[in-house]
Amino acid sequence: MALLTLDEAKAQLNLTTVTHDVELQAYVDSITAMVEWYVGPVEPRTVTETVSGRGLTLALAQIPVVSLTSLTPLLLGGLVLDVADLVVDNENGIIRRVTGDPFCGGPWAAVYTAGRSSVPPPTLNLAGRMLVQHLWRTQQGPGRPGLGGNDDYDVNQPVPGFGYAVPNRVLQLLQPYRLPPGVA
């Protein structure tokens, strides 16, 4: 599963030849990291991280979470927890024990899948299309027919906090999927 395919990018740019495919593929490949910086993992990936803490919950760093594979103690003699005895708040990456008991005896090695479990939401796909379109415009140069104007695609007008790379309309599409404060 990819955020955007080469064919989708070509359709967004109204390109019908293979002349620019290699160059355009580099743009397609680069936008996933830019979108994921703002919304978290889009494409599913396996993550292994050390999770520390005591209390009723543990927090995973990369959200959303598709599934938890294992939670293994890193200290000799630590309590091994069966994932069937754990509940994961997938949207927020919070792990709780089914029994409500607190976690103790950590730190743990958490292995899980982060990202989205199926095809990316259409809004994220559209944001990816529009981001490729914006980046493609930056290499076309000034004075190109049909590409001018002082809108948020104008490569000379930075978006506050994001420089020139991400236009306002893309940020607005990403907003419903934005990571909560403090999550990176």
Side-chain angles (χ1 to χ4, degrees):
M1 176 188 76
L3 174 61
L4 186 66
T5 67
L6 178 62
D7 287 339
E8 289 170 330
K10 288 174 74 170
Q12 181 72 19
L13 297 170
N14 296 317
L15 297 176
T16 56
T17 68
V18 297
T19 305
H20 302 289
D21 281 7
V22 172
E23 182 181 8
L24 185 55
Q25 185 65 55
Y27 285 74
V28 170
D29 293 343
S30 71
I31 62 150
T32 298
M34 294 172 71
V35 169
E36 288 183 342
W37 178 83
Y38 198 71
V39 304
V42 174
E43 299 175 0
R45 67 192 56 141
T46 300
V47 177
T48 301
E49 71 179 68
T50 299
V51 181
S52 298
R54 292 182 182 272
L56 298 177
T57 63
L58 297 174
L60 300 172
Q62 295 192 41
I63 59 172
V65 174
V66 176
S67 63
L68 178 65
T69 306
S70 66
L71 189 64
T72 309
L74 293 175
L75 298 177
L76 192 60
L79 177 63
V80 176
L81 300 172
D82 187 339
V83 292
D85 296 331
L86 304 172
V87 176
V88 180
D89 173 345
N90 298 72
E91 198 62 30
N92 297 304
I94 303 297
I95 304 171
R96 292 181 171 78
R97 294 177 73 179
V98 171
T99 61
D101 292 336
F103 290 95
C104 57
W108 294 270
V111 179
Y112 61 100
T113 302
R116 282 151 176 92
S117 59
S118 60
V119 176
T123 305
L124 293 182
N125 178 271
L126 179 58
R129 289 172 183 248
M130 293 176 79
L131 188 51
V132 163
Q133 183 177 9
H134 170 70
L135 294 173
W136 189 254
R137 289 174 96 174
T138 64
Q139 62 95 32
Q140 298 300 313
R144 181 127 166 129
L147 294 179
N150 284 321
D151 62 10
D152 65 351
Y153 272 133
D154 188 343
V155 297
N156 298 313
Q157 298 296 319
V159 176
F162 284 90
Y164 295 93
V166 183
N168 285 327
R169 62 186 69 186
V170 172
L171 292 174
Q172 290 170 344
L173 288 169
L174 298 176
Q175 184 63 31
Y177 303 95
R178 191 176 82 140
L179 289 172
V183 176

